[in-house]
Structures are given as C-alpha cells and as structure tokens.
Amino acid sequence: MGLKLFWSRDFLLNRHFLWVLFVVNLLGTIYGYIWYENQLVWTSIHKPDWMLPFVPDSPTSSLFFTLALLYLIYPPKRVTKLQSAGRVIIEALAVVCSVKYGIWAVVMIVWGAAQGDVLNWQHYMLIVSHLAMAVEALLYFRFMKAGIGALAAGLLWLLLNDSMDYTYGIFPWLPEQLEDDLSAVRAFTYALSAASFIAALFVWRFRKQA
C-alpha cells in the first residue's frame, strides 16, 4: 500500500484527520490575520475602510479552505439552491485562492532572498505552510462540489483583488529588496491568478473523468 494510503479517499476523508486539518488551518488563519495586523492598521488610517477585506490575502484564502473542510466533515443532507451556490463559491475560492497565494508567498520570499534579504525561521515556516496551502487545496478539490462556473467566479475575485492591490497600493508588504521590482511583481501576480485557475480546472477535469 505504501504512500498511496496518504492519497486515498479513505485516509483523506477520515473524520479524525479532517478535524486535525481543520484545527491546523483555523490556527493558521488566525495567525495570518495577526501577521497582517500592522498592514491592516496602516490601511485603516490611510485608506477607506472598505479596502480592508482586500488586504489579508493568505489568511482569507485559508479561511475559505477551513470553511470548505466543514462541508466534508459535516456533509449536508438537504440543501437549498442558495445553500448549494454558497458552498460551491466557498470551495472554488478555497481552491484558487489557496493555490495562488500559497505559491505567491513562497516566490516572494525566495525572490527577496535571491536579492539579499536575510531569511529567518519565520520565513522558512511561511514557505512550508504556504506550500501546504497550495497542495492541500488541489488535493481536496476532487472531493468538493465546485465546478467550472464557480471556478470562473473565483478567478474574477482574484483579478479584482489584484486590481485593488496594485491600483490602490494595498498589496501585501514586500521585502524591501523587491520594492524596485513592483512592475514585475504585479505582472507575476496577475499571471499567477490565471495559472491558479488553470491548475484548478485541470483537477476538475480529472475529477470529472474519474
């Protein structure tokens, strides 16, 4: 059986494991919002309050995934069309946002380090945790209900978030070594939004054929 066990439906949908995953993601979400505290305060002082939801990208992504896990822990037996629509939107956002910002954060850390930023234990912790965000989102998408329409809505959200970030200057704070590379960072960010949608679409096609 070997490593295949850890990719199997029986293992991944085991309620005990799902609860562990839920708690880990919930704690990570809380930590993420605390991480963004200074930028949230700065934004509330210098920008309109309605921009605040666009600031904490990674923890909001993990929040969507944490909520999506609840549908797997407690599968609803009877749902209305509105409840079903809410579920697929949350799941789609959980997938495309977690893949996008999981990879984005790692690239920014490595990119900054390549230009002289000194890494500490928190950087390595963030690399591991954000890679895990991307992997778990793609891994669990095959058990979710979201389809191509919801994924398209997720892509629109990512592009809106990108436009807000780089139009109004509320993108996640970067290592100072990357401040003169903002145009390249912006282009990469938009491209990664599209790539995250394509990755989710690929998993969706695989799920439909399975």
Side-chain angles (χ1 to χ4, degrees):
M1 188 172 294
L3 291 176
K4 289 184 178 180
L5 170 66
F6 298 102
W7 303 94
S8 68
R9 173 182 290 267
D10 289 341
F11 177 79
L12 293 173
L13 295 184
N14 179 278
R15 284 180 63 85
H16 297 294
F17 183 72
L18 285 173
W19 270 114
V20 170
L21 203 60
F22 175 84
V23 172
V24 169
N25 277 273
L26 179 61
L27 293 176
T29 298
I30 295 170
Y31 177 83
Y33 282 115
I34 294 173
W35 179 273
Y36 270 90
E37 180 182 4
N38 290 337
Q39 187 171 356
L40 286 168
V41 171
W42 182 91
T43 303
S44 68
I45 294 173
H46 297 92
K47 305 287 184 179
D49 287 344
W50 61 267
M51 292 185 184
L52 288 173
F54 296 97
V55 173
D57 297 329
S58 291
T60 300
S61 302
S62 63
L63 175 61
F64 287 136
F65 185 78
T66 303
L67 294 174
L69 285 174
L70 286 177
Y71 291 111
L72 299 178
I73 297 173
Y74 296 109
K77 297 181 179 179
R78 295 181 180 179
V79 293
T80 65
K81 290 184 177 180
L82 182 61
Q83 291 171 330
S84 179
R87 173 179 181 171
V88 297
I89 290 297
I90 288 174
E91 290 178 342
L93 289 170
V95 175
V96 297
C97 293
S98 294
V99 172
K100 189 261 184 76
Y101 292 110
I103 295 173
W104 186 92
V106 173
V107 171
M108 293 304 115
I109 293 172
V110 173
W111 194 353
Q115 297 195 35
D117 191 22
V118 179
L119 302 187
N120 55 39
W121 69 268
Q122 287 181 312
H123 290 101
Y124 294 108
M125 178 271 292
L126 290 172
I127 287 174
V128 172
S129 61
H130 281 78
L131 283 177
M133 278 176 57
V135 171
E136 68 181 4
L138 291 175
L139 191 60
Y140 273 89
F141 186 38
R142 60 191 170 120
F143 307 124
M144 297 179 182
K145 303 292 185 181
I148 189 170
L151 290 176
L155 174 61
L156 291 176
W157 167 256
L158 288 180
L159 295 175
L160 172 62
N161 203 346
D162 293 343
S163 298
M164 292 296 302
D165 281 355
Y166 295 96
T167 299
Y168 297 102
I170 55 173
F171 51 85
W173 287 346
L174 299 167
E176 63 179 21
Q177 290 80 3
L178 297 183
E179 291 178 357
D180 58 348
D181 296 316
L182 188 56
S183 295
V185 170
R186 179 173 60 244
F188 172 76
T189 302
Y190 275 101
L192 189 55
S193 290
S196 300
F197 169 74
I198 292 170
L201 196 61
F202 177 81
V203 175
W204 175 78
R205 289 292 298 271
F206 175 80
R207 184 185 73 186
K208 296 292 285 187
Q209 295 171 4

